[in-house]
Coordinates of all heavy atoms in Angstrom, one line a residue:
H1 N 0.8 -1.2 0.0 CA 0.0 0.0 0.0 C 0.9 1.2 0.0 O 2.0 1.2 0.6 CB -0.9 0.0 1.2 CG -1.9 -1.1 1.3 ND1 -1.4 -2.4 1.4 CD2 -3.2 -1.1 1.2 CE1 -2.6 -3.2 1.4 NE2 -3.6 -2.4 1.3
G2 N 0.5 2.3 -0.6 CA 1.2 3.5 -0.7 C 0.3 4.7 -0.6 O -0.8 4.7 -0.6
G3 N 1.1 5.8 -0.4 CA 0.4 7.1 -0.3 C 1.4 8.3 -0.4 O 2.5 8.1 -0.6
L4 N 1.0 9.4 0.0 CA 1.8 10.6 0.0 C 1.8 11.1 1.4 O 0.8 11.2 2.1 CB 1.3 11.7 -1.0 CG 1.3 11.3 -2.4 CD1 0.7 12.4 -3.3 CD2 2.7 10.9 -2.9
D5 N 3.0 11.6 1.8 CA 3.1 12.3 3.1 C 2.3 13.6 3.1 O 2.4 14.4 2.2 CB 4.6 12.6 3.4 CG 4.9 13.2 4.7 OD1 4.3 14.2 5.1 OD2 5.7 12.5 5.4
R6 N 1.5 13.8 4.1 CA 0.5 15.0 4.1 C 1.4 16.3 4.2 O 0.9 17.3 3.7 CB -0.4 14.9 5.3 CG -1.5 13.9 5.1 CD -2.4 13.8 6.3 NE -3.3 12.7 6.1 CZ -4.2 12.4 7.0 NH1 -4.3 13.1 8.1 NH2 -5.0 11.4 6.9
E7 N 2.5 16.2 4.9 CA 3.3 17.5 5.0 C 4.2 17.8 3.9 O 4.3 18.9 3.5 CB 4.1 17.3 6.4 CG 3.2 17.4 7.6 CD 4.0 17.2 8.9 OE1 5.2 17.4 8.8 OE2 3.4 16.9 9.9
T8 N 4.9 16.7 3.4 CA 6.0 17.0 2.4 C 5.5 16.6 0.9 O 6.1 16.9 -0.1 CB 7.2 16.2 2.7 OG1 6.9 14.7 2.6 CG2 7.7 16.5 4.1
G9 N 4.5 15.8 0.9 CA 4.1 15.2 -0.4 C 4.9 14.1 -1.0 O 4.8 13.6 -2.1
A10 N 5.9 13.6 -0.2 CA 6.8 12.6 -0.5 C 6.0 11.3 -0.6 O 5.2 11.0 0.3 CB 8.0 12.5 0.4
P11 N 6.5 10.4 -1.6 CA 5.8 9.0 -1.5 C 6.1 8.2 -0.3 O 7.3 8.2 0.1 CB 6.2 8.4 -2.8 CG 7.5 9.1 -3.1 CD 7.4 10.5 -2.5
R12 N 5.1 7.5 0.3 CA 5.4 6.7 1.4 C 4.8 5.3 1.1 O 3.8 5.1 0.4 CB 4.7 7.2 2.7 CG 5.3 8.6 3.0 CD 6.7 8.6 3.4 NE 7.2 9.8 3.8 CZ 8.4 10.3 3.4 NH1 9.1 9.7 2.5 NH2 8.8 11.5 3.8
A13 N 5.3 4.3 1.8 CA 4.7 3.0 1.8 C 4.1 2.6 3.1 O 4.6 3.0 4.2 CB 5.8 1.9 1.4
L14 N 3.1 1.8 3.1 CA 2.5 1.4 4.4 C 2.5 -0.2 4.4 O 2.1 -0.8 3.5 CB 1.0 1.8 4.4 CG 0.2 1.5 5.6 CD1 0.8 2.2 6.9 CD2 -1.2 1.9 5.4
K15 N 3.0 -0.7 5.5 CA 3.0 -2.2 5.7 C 2.3 -2.4 7.0 O 2.5 -1.8 8.0 CB 4.5 -2.6 5.8 CG 4.6 -4.1 6.1 CD 6.0 -4.6 6.1 CE 6.0 -6.2 6.2 NZ 7.3 -6.7 6.1
R16 N 1.3 -3.3 6.8 CA 0.5 -3.7 7.9 C 0.2 -5.2 8.0 O 0.3 -5.8 6.9 CB -0.8 -2.9 8.0 CG -1.7 -3.3 6.8 CD -2.9 -2.4 6.7 NE -3.7 -2.6 5.6 CZ -4.6 -3.6 5.4 NH1 -4.9 -4.3 6.4 NH2 -5.2 -3.7 4.2
L17 N -0.1 -5.7 9.2 CA -0.5 -7.1 9.4 C -2.0 -7.2 8.9 O -2.8 -6.3 9.2 CB -0.4 -7.5 10.8 CG 1.0 -7.9 11.3 CD1 0.9 -8.3 12.7 CD2 1.5 -9.1 10.4
A18 N -2.2 -8.1 8.1 CA -3.6 -8.4 7.7 C -4.4 -8.9 8.8 O -3.9 -9.6 9.6 CB -3.7 -9.3 6.6
T19 N -5.7 -8.5 8.9 CA -6.6 -9.1 9.9 C -6.9 -10.6 9.6 O -6.9 -10.9 8.4 CB -7.8 -8.3 10.1 OG1 -8.4 -8.3 8.8 CG2 -7.6 -7.0 10.6
P20 N -7.0 -11.5 10.5 CA -7.1 -11.4 11.9 C -5.7 -11.5 12.6 O -5.7 -11.9 13.8 CB -8.0 -12.4 12.3 CG -7.7 -13.5 11.3 CD -7.4 -12.8 10.1
A21 N -4.6 -11.2 11.9 CA -3.3 -11.4 12.5 C -3.0 -10.8 13.8 O -2.3 -11.3 14.6 CB -2.3 -11.0 11.5
P22 N -3.6 -9.6 14.1 CA -3.4 -9.1 15.5 C -3.7 -10.0 16.6 O -3.1 -9.8 17.6 CB -4.3 -7.8 15.5 CG -4.4 -7.5 14.1 CD -4.5 -8.8 13.3
A23 N -4.6 -11.0 16.4 CA -4.9 -11.9 17.5 C -3.8 -12.9 17.6 O -3.7 -13.7 18.6 CB -6.2 -12.6 17.2
D24 N -2.9 -13.1 16.6 CA -1.9 -14.1 16.6 C -0.7 -13.4 17.3 O 0.0 -12.7 16.6 CB -1.6 -14.5 15.1 CG -0.5 -15.6 15.0 OD1 0.2 -15.8 16.0 OD2 -0.4 -16.2 14.0
A25 N -0.5 -13.7 18.5 CA 0.6 -13.0 19.3 C 2.0 -13.2 18.6 O 2.8 -12.3 18.7 CB 0.6 -13.5 20.7
S26 N 2.3 -14.4 18.1 CA 3.6 -14.6 17.6 C 3.9 -13.8 16.3 O 5.0 -13.3 16.1 CB 3.9 -16.1 17.3 OG 3.0 -16.6 16.3
R27 N 2.8 -13.7 15.4 CA 3.0 -12.9 14.2 C 3.1 -11.4 14.6 O 3.9 -10.7 14.0 CB 1.8 -13.0 13.3 CG 1.9 -14.4 12.5 CD 0.8 -14.5 11.5 NE 1.1 -13.6 10.5 CZ 0.1 -13.2 9.6 NH1 -1.1 -13.7 9.7 NH2 0.4 -12.3 8.7
R28 N 2.4 -11.0 15.5 CA 2.5 -9.6 16.0 C 3.8 -9.2 16.6 O 4.4 -8.2 16.3 CB 1.3 -9.3 16.9 CG 1.3 -7.8 17.4 CD 0.0 -7.5 18.1 NE -0.1 -6.1 18.3 CZ -1.3 -5.5 18.2 NH1 -2.4 -6.1 17.9 NH2 -1.4 -4.2 18.3
A29 N 4.3 -10.2 17.4 CA 5.7 -10.0 18.0 C 6.8 -9.9 16.9 O 7.7 -9.1 17.0 CB 6.0 -11.1 19.1
R30 N 6.6 -10.8 15.9 CA 7.6 -10.8 14.8 C 7.5 -9.4 14.1 O 8.6 -8.9 13.7 CB 7.3 -12.0 13.9 CG 8.2 -12.1 12.8 CD 7.9 -13.3 11.9 NE 8.5 -13.1 10.6 CZ 8.1 -13.7 9.5 NH1 7.1 -14.6 9.5 NH2 8.7 -13.5 8.3
F31 N 6.4 -8.9 13.8 CA 6.2 -7.7 13.1 C 6.8 -6.5 13.9 O 7.6 -5.7 13.4 CB 4.7 -7.4 12.9 CG 4.3 -6.2 12.1 CD1 4.3 -6.3 10.7 CD2 4.1 -4.9 12.6 CE1 4.0 -5.3 9.9 CE2 3.9 -3.9 11.8 CZ 3.8 -4.0 10.5
E32 N 6.6 -6.6 15.2 CA 7.2 -5.5 16.1 C 8.8 -5.6 16.2 O 9.4 -4.6 16.2 CB 6.6 -5.6 17.5 CG 5.1 -5.2 17.5 CD 4.4 -5.5 18.8 OE1 5.0 -6.1 19.7 OE2 3.2 -5.1 18.8
R33 N 9.3 -6.9 16.1 CA 10.8 -7.0 16.1 C 11.3 -6.4 14.7 O 12.3 -5.8 14.7 CB 11.1 -8.5 16.3 CG 11.1 -9.0 17.7 CD 11.7 -10.4 17.9 NE 11.3 -11.3 16.9 CZ 10.3 -12.1 17.1 NH1 9.5 -12.0 18.2 NH2 9.9 -13.0 16.2
E34 N 10.6 -6.8 13.7 CA 11.0 -6.3 12.3 C 11.0 -4.8 12.4 O 12.0 -4.1 11.9 CB 10.1 -6.8 11.3 CG 10.4 -6.3 9.9 CD 9.3 -6.6 8.9 OE1 8.5 -7.6 9.1 OE2 9.4 -6.1 7.8
A35 N 10.0 -4.2 12.9 CA 9.9 -2.7 13.0 C 11.1 -2.1 13.7 O 11.8 -1.2 13.3 CB 8.6 -2.2 13.6
A36 N 11.5 -2.8 14.8 CA 12.5 -2.2 15.7 C 13.9 -2.4 14.9 O 14.8 -1.5 14.9 CB 12.6 -3.0 17.0
L37 N 14.1 -3.5 14.2 CA 15.3 -3.8 13.5 C 15.4 -2.8 12.4 O 16.5 -2.2 12.1 CB 15.4 -5.2 13.1 CG 15.6 -6.2 14.2 CD1 15.5 -7.6 13.7 CD2 17.1 -6.0 14.8
L38 N 14.3 -2.6 11.6 CA 14.4 -1.8 10.4 C 14.7 -0.3 10.9 O 15.4 0.4 10.1 CB 13.0 -1.7 9.7 CG 12.8 -2.9 8.7 CD1 11.4 -2.9 8.2 CD2 13.8 -2.8 7.6
A39 N 14.2 0.1 12.0 CA 14.4 1.5 12.5 C 16.0 1.7 12.8 O 16.4 2.9 12.7 CB 13.6 1.7 13.7
E40 N 16.7 0.6 13.0 CA 18.1 0.8 13.2 C 19.1 0.8 12.0 O 20.2 1.1 12.1 CB 18.6 -0.3 14.2 CG 17.9 -0.3 15.6 CD 18.4 -1.4 16.5 OE1 19.4 -2.1 16.1 OE2 17.7 -1.6 17.5
I41 N 18.4 0.3 10.9 CA 19.2 0.2 9.7 C 19.3 1.5 8.8 O 18.2 2.1 8.6 CB 18.7 -1.0 8.9 CG1 18.8 -2.3 9.6 CG2 19.4 -1.1 7.5 CD1 18.1 -3.4 8.9
E42 N 20.4 1.9 8.4 CA 20.6 3.0 7.5 C 21.3 2.5 6.3 O 22.5 2.3 6.3 CB 21.3 4.1 8.1 CG 20.5 4.9 9.2 CD 21.1 6.1 9.7 OE1 21.8 6.7 8.9 OE2 20.9 6.4 10.9
H43 N 20.6 2.3 5.1 CA 21.2 1.8 4.0 C 20.4 2.3 2.8 O 19.1 2.3 2.9 CB 21.2 0.2 3.9 CG 22.0 -0.3 2.9 ND1 21.5 -0.5 1.6 CD2 23.3 -0.8 2.8 CE1 22.4 -1.1 0.8 NE2 23.5 -1.2 1.6
P44 N 21.0 2.7 1.7 CA 20.2 3.2 0.5 C 19.3 2.2 -0.1 O 18.3 2.7 -0.8 CB 21.3 3.6 -0.5 CG 22.6 2.9 0.0 CD 22.5 2.7 1.4
H45 N 19.5 0.9 0.2 CA 18.6 -0.1 -0.4 C 17.5 -0.6 0.5 O 16.9 -1.7 0.3 CB 19.4 -1.3 -1.1 CG 20.3 -0.8 -2.2 ND1 19.8 -0.3 -3.4 CD2 21.6 -0.6 -2.2 CE1 20.7 0.1 -4.1 NE2 21.9 -0.1 -3.4
V46 N 17.5 -0.1 1.7 CA 16.5 -0.5 2.8 C 15.6 0.7 3.1 O 16.2 1.8 3.5 CB 17.2 -1.0 4.0 CG1 16.2 -1.4 5.1 CG2 18.1 -2.2 3.7
A47 N 14.3 0.5 3.0 CA 13.4 1.7 3.3 C 13.5 2.0 4.8 O 13.5 1.1 5.6 CB 12.0 1.3 2.9
R48 N 13.5 3.3 5.1 CA 13.6 3.8 6.5 C 12.2 3.8 7.0 O 11.2 4.0 6.4 CB 14.1 5.2 6.6 CG 15.6 5.4 6.2 CD 16.0 6.8 6.3 NE 15.2 7.8 5.4 CZ 14.7 8.9 5.8 NH1 14.8 9.3 7.0 NH2 13.9 9.6 5.0
V49 N 12.2 3.4 8.3 CA 10.9 3.4 9.1 C 10.7 4.9 9.5 O 11.5 5.5 10.2 CB 10.9 2.5 10.3 CG1 9.7 2.7 11.1 CG2 11.1 1.0 9.9
L50 N 9.5 5.4 9.1 CA 9.2 6.8 9.4 C 8.2 7.0 10.5 O 8.0 8.0 11.1 CB 8.7 7.5 8.2 CG 9.7 7.5 6.9 CD1 9.0 8.0 5.7 CD2 11.0 8.3 7.2
G51 N 7.5 5.8 10.8 CA 6.5 5.9 11.8 C 5.9 4.5 12.0 O 6.1 3.7 11.2
S52 N 5.1 4.5 13.1 CA 4.4 3.1 13.2 C 3.1 3.4 14.1 O 3.1 4.5 14.8 CB 5.3 2.1 13.9 OG 5.7 2.6 15.2
G53 N 2.3 2.5 14.2 CA 1.1 2.7 15.0 C 0.2 1.4 15.0 O 0.6 0.4 14.4
V54 N -1.0 1.5 15.5 CA -1.9 0.4 15.5 C -3.2 1.1 15.0 O -3.8 2.1 15.5 CB -2.2 -0.1 16.9 CG1 -3.3 -1.1 17.0 CG2 -0.8 -0.7 17.4
D55 N -3.8 0.5 14.0 CA -5.1 0.9 13.5 C -6.2 0.7 14.5 O -6.4 -0.5 14.9 CB -5.5 0.1 12.2 CG -6.7 0.5 11.5 OD1 -7.6 1.2 12.1 OD2 -6.9 0.2 10.3
P56 N -6.8 1.7 15.0 CA -7.9 1.5 16.0 C -9.1 0.8 15.6 O -9.7 0.1 16.4 CB -8.2 2.9 16.4 CG -7.8 3.8 15.3 CD -6.7 3.1 14.6
A57 N -9.3 0.7 14.4 CA -10.5 0.0 13.9 C -10.3 -1.5 13.8 O -11.3 -2.3 14.0 CB -10.9 0.5 12.5
T58 N -9.1 -1.9 13.6 CA -8.8 -3.4 13.4 C -7.8 -3.9 14.4 O -7.5 -5.1 14.5 CB -8.2 -3.7 12.0 OG1 -7.0 -3.0 11.9 CG2 -9.2 -3.3 10.9
D59 N -7.2 -3.1 15.2 CA -6.1 -3.4 16.1 C -4.9 -4.0 15.5 O -4.1 -4.7 16.0 CB -6.6 -4.3 17.2 CG -5.7 -4.4 18.4 OD1 -5.1 -3.4 18.8 OD2 -5.5 -5.6 19.0
A60 N -4.8 -3.7 14.1 CA -3.6 -4.2 13.4 C -2.5 -3.2 13.4 O -2.6 -2.0 13.1 CB -4.0 -4.4 11.9
P61 N -1.3 -3.6 13.8 CA -0.1 -2.8 13.8 C 0.3 -2.4 12.3 O 0.1 -3.2 11.4 CB 1.0 -3.5 14.4 CG 0.6 -4.9 14.3 CD -0.8 -5.0 14.3
Y62 N 0.9 -1.3 12.1 CA 1.4 -0.9 10.8 C 2.7 0.0 10.9 O 3.0 0.4 11.9 CB 0.4 -0.1 10.1 CG 0.1 1.3 10.7 CD1 0.8 2.4 10.5 CD2 -1.0 1.4 11.6 CE1 0.5 3.6 11.1 CE2 -1.3 2.6 12.2 CZ -0.5 3.7 11.9 OH -0.8 4.9 12.5
L63 N 3.4 -0.1 9.8 CA 4.6 0.8 9.6 C 4.5 1.7 8.5 O 3.9 1.3 7.4 CB 5.8 -0.1 9.4 CG 6.3 -1.2 10.3 CD1 7.4 -2.0 9.7 CD2 6.7 -0.5 11.6
V64 N 4.9 3.0 8.6 CA 5.0 3.9 7.5 C 6.5 3.9 7.2 O 7.4 4.1 8.0 CB 4.6 5.3 8.0 CG1 4.8 6.2 6.8 CG2 3.2 5.3 8.5
L65 N 6.7 3.6 5.9 CA 8.1 3.4 5.4 C 8.4 4.4 4.3 O 7.5 4.9 3.5 CB 8.3 2.1 4.8 CG 8.1 0.9 5.8 CD1 7.9 -0.4 5.0 CD2 9.2 0.8 6.8
E66 N 9.7 4.8 4.0 CA 10.1 5.5 2.9 C 9.8 4.7 1.7 O 10.0 3.4 1.7 CB 11.7 5.8 3.1 CG 12.4 6.2 2.0 CD 13.9 6.2 2.2 OE1 14.4 5.3 2.9 OE2 14.5 7.2 1.9
R67 N 9.4 5.2 0.6 CA 9.1 4.5 -0.6 C 10.3 4.6 -1.5 O 10.7 5.7 -1.9 CB 7.9 5.0 -1.2 CG 7.5 4.1 -2.4 CD 6.1 4.5 -2.9 NE 5.7 3.4 -3.8 CZ 4.4 3.0 -4.0 NH1 3.5 3.7 -3.3 NH2 4.1 2.2 -4.8
L68 N 11.0 3.5 -1.8 CA 12.2 3.5 -2.6 C 11.8 3.4 -4.0 O 10.9 2.6 -4.5 CB 13.1 2.3 -2.1 CG 13.6 2.3 -0.7 CD1 14.4 1.0 -0.5 CD2 14.4 3.5 -0.4
E69 N 12.4 4.1 -4.9 CA 12.3 4.1 -6.3 C 13.0 2.8 -6.8 O 14.0 2.4 -6.3 CB 12.9 5.3 -7.0 CG 12.1 6.6 -6.6 CD 10.7 6.5 -7.1 OE1 10.4 6.1 -8.2 OE2 9.8 7.0 -6.3
G70 N 12.4 2.2 -7.9 CA 13.1 1.0 -8.5 C 12.6 -0.3 -8.0 O 12.9 -1.3 -8.5
S71 N 11.9 -0.3 -6.9 CA 11.5 -1.6 -6.3 C 10.1 -1.8 -6.9 O 9.1 -1.2 -6.6 CB 11.5 -1.6 -4.9 OG 10.6 -0.7 -4.4
G72 N 9.9 -2.9 -7.8 CA 8.6 -3.2 -8.4 C 7.7 -3.7 -7.3 O 8.0 -4.4 -6.4
Q73 N 6.4 -3.4 -7.6 CA 5.4 -3.8 -6.7 C 5.3 -5.4 -6.6 O 5.0 -5.8 -5.5 CB 4.0 -3.3 -7.1 CG 3.9 -1.8 -6.9 CD 3.9 -1.3 -5.5 OE1 3.6 -2.1 -4.7 NE2 4.4 -0.2 -5.4
K74 N 5.5 -6.1 -7.6 CA 5.4 -7.6 -7.6 C 6.5 -8.1 -6.7 O 6.3 -8.9 -6.0 CB 5.6 -8.2 -9.0 CG 4.3 -7.9 -9.8 CD 4.4 -8.5 -11.2 CE 3.2 -8.3 -12.0 NZ 3.3 -8.8 -13.4
K75 N 7.7 -7.5 -6.8 CA 8.8 -7.9 -6.0 C 8.6 -7.7 -4.5 O 8.8 -8.5 -3.6 CB 10.1 -7.2 -6.4 CG 11.3 -7.6 -5.6 CD 12.6 -7.0 -6.2 CE 13.8 -7.3 -5.3 NZ 15.0 -6.6 -5.8
V76 N 8.0 -6.5 -4.2 CA 7.6 -6.2 -2.8 C 6.5 -7.1 -2.3 O 6.7 -7.6 -1.2 CB 7.2 -4.7 -2.7 CG1 6.6 -4.4 -1.3 CG2 8.3 -3.7 -3.0
A77 N 5.6 -7.4 -3.1 CA 4.5 -8.3 -2.7 C 5.1 -9.7 -2.5 O 4.6 -10.3 -1.5 CB 3.5 -8.4 -3.8
R78 N 6.0 -10.2 -3.3 CA 6.6 -11.5 -3.0 C 7.3 -11.5 -1.6 O 7.3 -12.4 -0.9 CB 7.6 -11.9 -4.1 CG 6.8 -12.4 -5.3 CD 7.8 -13.1 -6.3 NE 9.0 -12.3 -6.6 CZ 9.1 -11.6 -7.6 NH1 8.2 -11.4 -8.5 NH2 10.2 -10.9 -7.9
L79 N 8.1 -10.4 -1.3 CA 8.9 -10.3 -0.2 C 7.9 -10.3 1.1 O 8.2 -11.0 2.1 CB 9.7 -9.1 -0.1 CG 10.8 -9.1 -1.1 CD1 11.6 -7.8 -1.0 CD2 11.9 -10.2 -0.7
E80 N 6.8 -9.7 1.0 CA 5.8 -9.6 2.2 C 5.2 -10.9 2.4 O 4.7 -11.2 3.5 CB 4.7 -8.5 1.9 CG 5.2 -7.1 2.0 CD 4.2 -6.1 2.0 OE1 3.1 -6.4 1.9 OE2 4.6 -4.9 2.0
C81 N 5.2 -11.8 1.4 CA 4.6 -13.1 1.6 C 5.5 -14.1 2.3 O 5.1 -15.1 2.7 CB 4.2 -13.8 0.3 SG 2.8 -12.8 -0.5
L82 N 6.7 -13.8 2.4 CA 7.8 -14.7 3.0 C 7.6 -14.7 4.5 O 7.1 -13.9 5.1 CB 9.2 -14.3 2.7 CG 9.5 -14.3 1.1 CD1 10.9 -13.8 0.9 CD2 9.4 -15.8 0.7

């Protein structure tokens, strides 16, 4: 999923756990570990974590990421399925 930053207009990517995953404690913990590790990495080929939160409507956690140019949507979709 993607969108634009409301303040800067820069492209952003949104990664979230699909419902009903929030009820799955192990998947949620893995997602939170991934978020913490990504926040520590600075590399031109790794999207920076710009924010995170929990959707109040679904209780699903999400990450707001820098959107990198050149990464095809199909490639990203395959990575998210792993």
Side-chain angles (χ1 to χ4, degrees):
H1 296 67
L4 298 176
D5 187 302
R6 289 182 186 176
E7 295 177 13
T8 67
R12 300 294 182 227
L14 182 66
K15 181 175 182 177
R16 61 184 174 90
L17 279 181
T19 55
D24 183 344
S26 65
R27 285 187 66 199
R28 188 174 188 135
R30 180 177 162 204
F31 188 86
E32 290 170 357
R33 283 193 309 272
E34 176 185 349
L37 290 171
L38 279 174
E40 295 178 16
I41 297 172
E42 290 187 32
H43 189 278
H45 299 290
V46 177
R48 291 182 302 134
V49 175
L50 303 170
S52 64
V54 176
D55 182 340
T58 63
D59 195 36
Y62 63 86
L63 298 176
V64 178
L65 303 164
E66 165 186 43
R67 189 168 191 150
L68 299 178
E69 293 299 319
S71 60
Q73 293 294 332
K74 289 181 182 178
K75 182 178 180 181
V76 172
R78 282 196 307 267
L79 290 174
E80 287 186 6
C81 293
L82 296 177

